[in-house]
Amino acid sequence: MKSQRLPIALQQSVMRKLREKLQQANQRLERNYPEPRLVYQQRGTAAGTAWLQSWEIRLNPVLLMENQQAFIDEVVPHELAHLLVWKHFGRVAPHGKEWKWMMESVLEVPARRTHQFAIASVRCQTFPYRCRCQQHQLTLRRHNRVVRGDSEYRCLHCGDILQAGEFTNA
């Protein structure tokens, strides 16, 4: 899919929210954390990711365009919270009690681990795999790793190694 250019007004709204929440956090934590770099290069079904060492937030431009205000209100603080938690507490569980506290008590945003946006427009081609209990869909990247022999994947329910092909309940 061809990437679309984000309207400057939308980018400005994202930056306004980032700066507002960063200022709020700095005041409440009595710190002076710098502004993270914003990059609009997140792909796939993830709305955003926080890159701790580079102090960077990557946002999905397609999901941002499709869910503008909800994305700004939810995803920007979510990813900022990851960076702040890393600076404030060090390496902890990604959505653990420190992150939840940062979201709810410091940034005053509901602490939701995943977004609820429709993802049909960003979902990539998948490949059917099976185990003893169900059908799975692997992404192109994971499928290629299996084909090359670089990786194998297991079902989280039954523990079987996933095999290419359709599931049959025989």
Side-chain angles (χ1 to χ4, degrees):
M1 186 175 89
K2 187 179 187 310
S3 67
Q4 51 194 3
R5 192 139 168 86
L6 286 173
I8 191 72
L10 186 56
Q11 292 181 49
Q12 289 170 333
S13 294
V14 169
M15 186 56 76
R16 256 193 313 278
K17 178 62 74 170
L18 176 68
R19 287 177 175 156
E20 170 200 327
K21 291 300 178 182
L22 179 61
Q23 179 182 17
Q24 183 176 329
N26 278 333
Q27 286 173 346
R28 294 191 176 174
L29 299 171
E30 298 180 349
R31 297 289 195 281
N32 190 22
Y33 294 126
E35 190 176 287
R37 181 169 172 243
L38 278 179
V39 180
Y40 296 94
Q41 292 179 339
Q42 182 66 48
R43 293 169 37 192
T45 58
T49 50
W51 291 74
L52 306 178
Q53 283 82 3
S54 56
W55 198 249
E56 179 177 289
I57 294 174
R58 293 188 188 170
L59 299 175
N60 188 316
V62 177
L63 291 177
L64 172 57
M65 279 296 291
E66 293 174 354
N67 306 278
Q68 298 183 13
Q69 198 58 53
F71 189 105
I72 291 167
D73 292 341
E74 297 170 30
V75 178
V76 173
H78 177 116
E79 300 309 333
L80 176 61
H82 284 300
L83 294 177
L84 295 170
V85 164
W86 180 67
K87 283 280 194 197
H88 204 72
F89 296 103
R91 199 167 285 285
V92 295
H95 296 106
K97 64 181 190 291
E98 298 88 353
W99 177 83
K100 188 173 191 243
W101 173 80
M102 189 69 70
M103 286 290 287
E104 293 176 349
S105 299
V106 176
L107 299 179
E108 297 178 326
V109 177
R112 280 197 288 275
R113 292 175 54 140
T114 57
H115 67 76
Q116 304 297 311
F117 306 138
I119 57 171
S121 63
V122 290
R123 176 173 274 145
C124 60
Q125 180 183 8
T126 59
F127 296 81
Y129 277 71
R130 67 190 182 319
C131 64
R132 95 176 82 125
C133 73
Q134 65 181 307
Q135 173 93 21
H136 300 266
Q137 294 296 322
L138 262 61
T139 61
L140 175 62
R141 178 175 291 171
R142 287 187 173 197
H143 170 71
N144 286 338
R145 287 178 181 156
V146 170
V147 169
R148 288 192 311 263
D150 293 341
S151 295
E152 63 182 23
Y153 298 94
R154 291 185 179 271
C155 174
L156 295 175
H157 297 285
C158 71
D160 273 6
I161 294 174
L162 303 185
Q163 304 293 326
E166 301 287 333
F167 176 75
T168 55
N169 199 358

